[in-house]
Amino acid sequence: MADINFSTTASAPDRTAAATIDGSGPDAGAAAAAPAAGEPQWEMIELLFFAYRDFIGDPDAILDAFDFGRAHHRVLHFVNRNPGMPVAELLNILKITKQSLGRVLRELIEAGYVEQQTGESDRRQRLLFATARGRDLALRLAAPQSTRIAAALAALGPEGAAAAREFLRLMINAEERAETARFVART
Amino acid sequence: MADINFSTTASAPDRTAAATIDGSGPDAGAAAAAPAAGEPQWEMIELLFFAYRDFIGDPDAILDAFDFGRAHHRVLHFVNRNPGMPVAELLNILKITKQSLGRVLRELIEAGYVEQQTGESDRRQRLLFATARGRDLALRLAAPQSTRIAAALAALGPEGAAAAREFLRLMINAEERAETARFVART
DNA sequence: AAATTTATGTCAGCCATATTGACTTATTTC
DNA sequence: GAAATAAGTCAATATGGCTGACATAAATTT
């Protein structure tokens, strides 16, 4: 799941702050008074948590039927969207170690969803490709998520949809927006 | 949850082939032509993945310093936001088993971040409360996420911010929108 | 009052995902 | 030729989650 986790840095001694949690709170707005600057964005934090929880829940039943888990989904997704991606790049996107990738990738290859090809310019590389079967599964996993997203965007209208997309883009670490955009805006 | 997941079990979809990224940049904002009805929403799927990945990455360093993990964060968050919540309700929100909750909750209680009180009307219940220390930590974990969100919303303006919030609300399973709204709009 | 159900907790074992560290094999680069 | 890089593997460990089986106390039903 997803966490509402947050994180920053530090360690820190204690704070004493206290604040509002119990009932009275800062905002109190019902539907949503916008939090004042510096106030915790409880509403958005929880909406992100619940939205993501349901979003990622969509493909689970499908994965179960294939004896795959979310890790397989992630790998298949990015390999499918980036044909010929070398292993190192996949590790970089997923931000996991190659040991972690190992089992999952092996299973996907053994089951015929992903293929490897030795790189032409650099024969040390093992370039990854989704097979026809892999593309199929990737599409199938994306289908319920796409339906969910399309319904939400349609309800918002074109301007609202653009705002939602921009919001997500701005939530990505600034340093990585350019790089992730390469993947994202590919269609 | 996250899938393009994050969390444990499920994952995300993928992109399909295509290659090359055009390089066009980062911002591009709107960018990608909206997918036709029924087409995979690759762009939004990936934006959600990256946005959530960075969003939940924020608190990890803080948690490390306390020897807590994301599971502790989730529990502390919801207990803090819902003082007096019985265990069963927490399980329902997190959608995990009581066995899974067990260790995490025990550690939070032993370390003095969460307290239990026997319910008055139903003495079988153990109502959960964040201690002053727990409220502190919850705020501290929320801080970097709130900063991230506030910056994105500020860049969008009031209308865009409202659209972003509505988008997330619409992404939640329809049957659960009402229930989650109780938590969310609480401040 | 007895029987049953509910709320919570706990023991035990297992699985999936991910980590760190050490090392190997090709292959490319210096 | 030496060093660096891309990939893969072995081993041990951590985390978070799960199922099943029980136990206890308190509320509800009968």
Side-chain angles (χ1 to χ4, degrees):
Chain A
M1 273 164 300
D3 294 80
I4 279 187
N5 297 281
F6 311 48
S7 57
T8 321
T9 324
S11 39
D14 14 336
R15 335 182 136 197
T16 341
T20 335
I21 292 183
D22 14 310
S24 44
D27 299 39
E39 285 296 307
Q41 293 274 350
W42 298 125
E43 184 185 22
M44 290 295 286
I45 287 171
E46 291 178 1
L47 284 174
L48 269 163
F49 172 74
F50 290 118
Y52 200 73
R53 183 191 64 179
D54 291 346
F55 168 69
I56 67 171
D58 280 339
D60 287 349
I62 299 172
L63 289 163
D64 277 353
F66 286 81
D67 269 295
F68 286 148
R70 290 181 180 174
H72 301 86
H73 185 183
R74 283 194 287 271
V75 170
L76 178 60
H77 171 92
F78 285 107
V79 168
N80 182 45
R81 286 275 287 166
N82 300 277
M85 169 180 270
V87 171
E89 193 177 358
L90 184 55
L91 294 176
N92 189 48
I93 289 177
L94 298 179
K95 297 200 194 294
I96 59 173
T97 61
K98 66 182 168 184
Q99 293 91 330
S100 298
L101 179 61
R103 175 188 59 93
V104 168
L105 185 54
R106 178 168 33 76
E107 289 171 353
L108 283 169
I109 290 170
E110 286 173 355
Y113 294 91
V114 172
E115 282 180 336
Q116 289 179 310
Q117 280 182 32
T118 296
E120 289 184 19
S121 60
D122 185 339
R123 311 196 347 146
R124 291 172 303 182
Q125 292 184 325
R126 298 290 174 273
L127 307 182
L128 302 171
F129 296 85
T131 61
R133 188 178 189 169
R135 290 193 293 274
D136 257 15
L137 178 54
L139 261 184
R140 205 164 140 188
L141 292 167
Q145 295 185 314
S146 297
T147 299
R148 181 187 294 271
I149 292 167
L153 295 182
L156 292 174
E159 288 179 24
R165 182 165 49 237
E166 180 65 1
F167 170 71
L168 294 178
R169 198 184 67 79
L170 291 170
M171 287 290 288
I172 298 170
N173 286 341
E175 326 82 72
E176 296 180 63
R177 270 175 219 155
E179 193 187 344
T180 58
R182 283 186 325 165
F183 283 87
V184 165
R186 169 166 315 194
T187 292
Chain B
M1 326 211 167
D3 302 24
I4 267 194
N5 341 286
F6 253 44
S7 291
T8 340
T9 339
S11 336
D14 286 39
R15 309 177 164 203
T16 336
T20 331
I21 302 180
D22 35 312
S24 48
D27 284 60
E39 285 295 305
Q41 293 275 350
W42 299 125
E43 184 187 21
M44 291 296 287
I45 287 170
E46 291 179 0
L47 284 174
L48 269 163
F49 172 73
F50 290 117
Y52 199 75
R53 182 191 64 179
D54 291 347
F55 168 70
I56 67 172
D58 279 340
D60 287 349
I62 297 173
L63 290 164
D64 277 353
F66 287 81
D67 269 294
F68 287 150
R70 290 180 181 175
H72 302 86
H73 185 184
R74 282 194 288 271
V75 170
L76 179 59
H77 172 91
F78 285 107
V79 169
N80 181 44
R81 286 273 289 163
N82 300 278
M85 169 180 271
V87 171
E89 194 177 358
L90 185 53
L91 293 175
N92 188 48
I93 289 178
L94 298 178
K95 298 200 194 293
I96 58 174
T97 60
K98 66 183 169 181
Q99 294 90 331
S100 298
L101 178 61
R103 175 187 59 92
V104 168
L105 185 54
R106 178 168 32 78
E107 289 171 354
L108 284 169
I109 291 170
E110 286 173 355
Y113 294 92
V114 171
E115 282 178 336
Q116 289 179 308
Q117 281 182 33
T118 295
E120 289 183 20
S121 59
D122 185 339
R123 309 194 352 142
R124 291 172 303 182
Q125 292 184 324
R126 297 290 174 273
L127 307 182
L128 303 171
F129 296 85
T131 62
R133 189 177 188 167
R135 291 192 293 274
D136 250 19
L137 179 54
L139 261 183
R140 201 161 142 193
L141 292 167
Q145 295 187 314
S146 297
T147 299
R148 180 186 295 270
I149 291 167
L153 295 181
L156 293 174
E159 289 179 24
R165 182 165 49 237
E166 180 64 1
F167 170 71
L168 294 178
R169 200 184 65 81
L170 292 170
M171 287 290 288
I172 298 170
N173 287 341
E175 325 82 73
E176 296 181 62
R177 270 175 219 154
E179 193 188 344
T180 57
R182 285 185 324 165
F183 283 87
V184 165
R186 169 165 315 197
T187 293

